[in-house]
């Protein structure tokens, strides 16, 4: 397989009892990157440095993630999911893995139907269905000692075939702009196209409550009412990747609640259009741990001093933050929507509310959101520059074996005007 010597490996499905320890060891050897930074090149590029272990670098600092618990955590929430592993040699050494799941999601921004008077019926292009089956490939790992042997290619090909058999129309993957090797592997060898560019916006949890204006009222919506609200606020023609099982997501045990903020009080202008904001909070502290690496000693000492001062004089309300140089958890904000002239202020209040909820969980040190950069909500989300970046790249591929259908649906084109990207926290 490498042109000089015969390489023997096989790809099969993961078995929890048999493979758990080996998979955990492989994950340790292939340092995991945060969110989209998931892929490990091994066939085309000399840069095989551990699976894109950094999501973001700034002056030597990096933010990385370590998965904990169930290795299927990022795909097991989908009814249709799989993990494939690669074994090498007669000793069946675990040398690679990939995860995949298939979901039904909204397309958003579909094409308009051409006039029926067209002389050629084949030129009439119907608007795409409101929902479509889309596969997501996650967590491609290849052992550093077994790269450039075709293992990644075999894993991706088998994963795509599994998704195709389940009726997935497209496959998606995510990486970062700095991960040139991963982009080259997927866009070159496998024909994926860069598709969307979500921004990761993070803010550390401070020791003290963040203020919410007295004119803003925050209410928690029960899951059925939250599902109805999102159905109204996220029309299928304007929202991409809204999951068809949205009610199940909102009622999931890791969704801590859906919150809406509205204005109240005598100062409200009755002639102005109503303003509101809504978001949901997902607890990821049980499935992953973040860590800041490479921080200068002066920054470490400064933050430690602030924590010590805050413990000794809490009435000063020093904006101290937890020790982010040890593993910590995060709450993820999803489904961010706002409307009306006061929408941005109300959404900011909801982010403060989520922060105050996170303060009650000692395992949570960061509140974060993934949003499309052109989404108006992005400007209203508080963030800390050291915990935020815009390097993520989503890539997409048409899984149809019909070459004439490839790239015919326009999904690889720039986002249509007004389209909102829904980032499912279950796949973070």
């Amino acid at each position: 397989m490498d042109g000089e010597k015969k390489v023997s490996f096989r790809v099969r499905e993961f078995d929890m009892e048999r493979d758990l320890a080996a998979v955990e060891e492989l994950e340790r050897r292939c340092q995991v990157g945060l969110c989209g930074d998931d892929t490990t090149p091994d066939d085309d590029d000399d840069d095989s440095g551990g699976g894109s272990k950094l999501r973001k670098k700034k002056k030597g600092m990096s933010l990385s993630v370590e998965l904990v618990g169930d290795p299927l955590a990022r795909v097991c929430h989908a009814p249709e999911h799989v993990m494939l592993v690669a074994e090498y040699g007669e000793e069946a050494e675990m040398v690679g893995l990939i995860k995949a799941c298939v979901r039904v999601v909204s397309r958003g921004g579909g094409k308009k139907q051409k006039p029926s008077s067209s002389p050629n019926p084949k030129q009439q292009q119907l608007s795409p269905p409101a929902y479509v089956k889309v596969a997501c490939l996650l967590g491609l790992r290849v052992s550093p000692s077994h790269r450039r042997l075709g293992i990644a290619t075999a894993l991706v090909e088998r994963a795509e075939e599994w998704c195709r058999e389940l009726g997935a129309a497209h496959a998606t993957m995510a990486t970062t702009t700095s991960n040139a090797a991963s982009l080259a592997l997927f866009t070159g060898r496998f024909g994926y196209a860069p598709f969307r560019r979500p921004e990761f916006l993070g803010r550390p949890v401070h020791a003290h409550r963040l203020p919410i204006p007295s004119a803003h009222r925050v209410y928690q919506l029960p899951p059925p009412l939250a599902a109805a609200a999102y159905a109204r606020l996220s029309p299928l023609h304007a929202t991409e990747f809204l999951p068809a099982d949205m009610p199940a997501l909102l009622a999931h045990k890791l969704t801590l609640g859906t919150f809406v903020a509205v204005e109240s009080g005598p100062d409200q202008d009755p002639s102005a259009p109503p303003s509101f904001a809504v978001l949901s909070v997902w607890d990821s502290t049980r499935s992953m741990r973040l860590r800041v690496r490479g921080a200068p000693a002066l920054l470490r000492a400064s933050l430690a001093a602030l924590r010590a001062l805050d413990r000794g004089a809490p009435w000063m309300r020093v904006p101290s933050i937890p020790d982010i140089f040890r593993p910590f958890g995060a709450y993820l904000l999803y489904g961010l929507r706002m409307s009306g002239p006061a929408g941005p202020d109300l959404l900011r209040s909801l982010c403060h509310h989520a922060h105050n909820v996170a303060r009650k969980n000692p395992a949570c040190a960061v509140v974060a959101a993934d949003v499309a950069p052109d989404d108006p909500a992005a400007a209203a989300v508080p963030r800390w520059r050291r915990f935020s970046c815009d390097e993520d790249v989503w890539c997409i591929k048409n899984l149809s074996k019909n070459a004439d259908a490839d790239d015919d649906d326009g999904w690889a084109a720039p986002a249509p005007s007004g389209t909102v990207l829904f980032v499912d926290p279950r796949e973070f």
Side-chain angles (χ1 to χ4, degrees), residues 11-12 14 26 38-39 72 75 82-86 96-100 136-142 151-160 186 192:
V11 176
R12 61 170 176 81
F14 168 78
L26 179 60
D38 266 344
T39 53
L72 295 173
V75 294
V82 72
M83 178 189 283
L84 302 175
V85 297
L97 63 89
I98 193 171
K99 306 166 192 175
C136 181
L137 305 187
L138 299 166
L140 174 60
R141 309 277 183 262
V142 176
I151 295 172
T153 295
L155 286 167
V156 173
E157 288 176 347
R158 282 285 301 274
E160 287 184 346
F186 276 86
Y192 285 72

Side-chain angles (χ1 to χ4, degrees), residues 409-422:
D409 54 18
W411 246 17
S417 177
T419 295
V420 174
L421 181 64
F422 187 94

Side-chain angles (χ1 to χ4, degrees), residues 22 80 124 221 406 428:
E80 298 171 326
Q124 298 181 17
L221 301 178
D406 208 25
F428 190 94

Side-chain angles (χ1 to χ4, degrees), residues 50-291:
S52 308
K53 59 185 174 185
L54 305 182
R55 170 186 176 99
K56 169 178 165 42
K57 286 186 177 180
K58 184 169 290 190
K59 294 183 179 179
M61 287 182 56
S62 66
L63 184 62
S64 62
V65 64
E66 303 166 356
L67 299 182
V68 297
D70 185 0
L72 295 173
R74 297 178 66 192
V75 294
C76 67
H77 301 292
E80 298 171 326
H81 64 272
V82 72
M83 178 189 283
L84 302 175
V85 297
E87 294 178 327
Y88 182 88
E90 296 181 358
E91 297 181 358
E93 180 184 359
M94 183 76 66
V95 295
L97 63 89
I98 193 171
K99 306 166 192 175
C101 64
V102 176
R103 297 189 187 278
V104 179
V105 300
S106 64
R107 288 191 44 129
K111 292 182 179 180
K112 294 182 179 179
Q113 184 176 358
K114 290 187 176 181
S116 58
S117 58
S118 174
N120 186 354
K122 293 184 179 180
Q123 293 181 354
Q124 298 181 17
Q125 298 182 7
L126 298 177
S127 296
Y131 285 103
V132 65
K133 265 193 170 185
V134 174
C136 181
L137 305 187
L138 299 166
L140 174 60
R141 309 277 183 262
V142 176
S143 171
S145 59
H146 292 79
R147 300 208 172 125
R148 300 182 63 83
L149 300 176
I151 295 172
T153 295
L155 286 167
V156 173
E157 288 176 347
R158 282 285 301 274
E160 287 184 346
E161 188 60 34
W162 179 86
C163 298
R164 205 178 276 117
E165 291 174 356
L166 290 175
H170 297 82
T172 64
M173 57 77 63
T175 185
T176 62
T177 56
S178 60
N179 192 346
S182 175
L183 282 172
L185 177 66
F186 276 86
T187 61
R189 172 159 302 197
F190 295 110
Y192 285 72
F195 178 52
R196 298 292 179 260
R197 292 285 303 272
E199 286 186 317
F200 178 82
L201 308 176
R203 180 176 184 174
V205 176
H206 290 252
H208 303 285
R209 291 179 58 86
L210 295 181
I212 296 176
S214 58
H216 292 177
R217 293 288 183 267
V218 176
Y219 303 97
Q220 183 170 351
L221 301 178
L225 186 55
Y230 276 119
R232 183 69 178 270
L233 298 172
S234 304
L236 298 182
H237 69 273
T239 307
E240 286 184 324
F241 289 90
L242 184 72
D245 65 341
M246 189 69 174
L249 171 59
L250 296 172
H252 196 282
K253 64 181 181 180
L254 295 181
T255 292
L256 302 181
T258 298
F259 304 94
V260 61
V262 297
E263 287 186 301
S264 66
D267 295 334
Q268 185 176 0
D269 184 359
S271 63
S275 297
F276 63 88
V278 63
L279 59 75
S280 299
V281 182
W282 177 270
D283 180 3
S284 68
T285 61
R286 297 185 232 175
S287 60
M288 71 176 186
R289 294 286 187 270
L290 308 178
R291 182 184 301 205

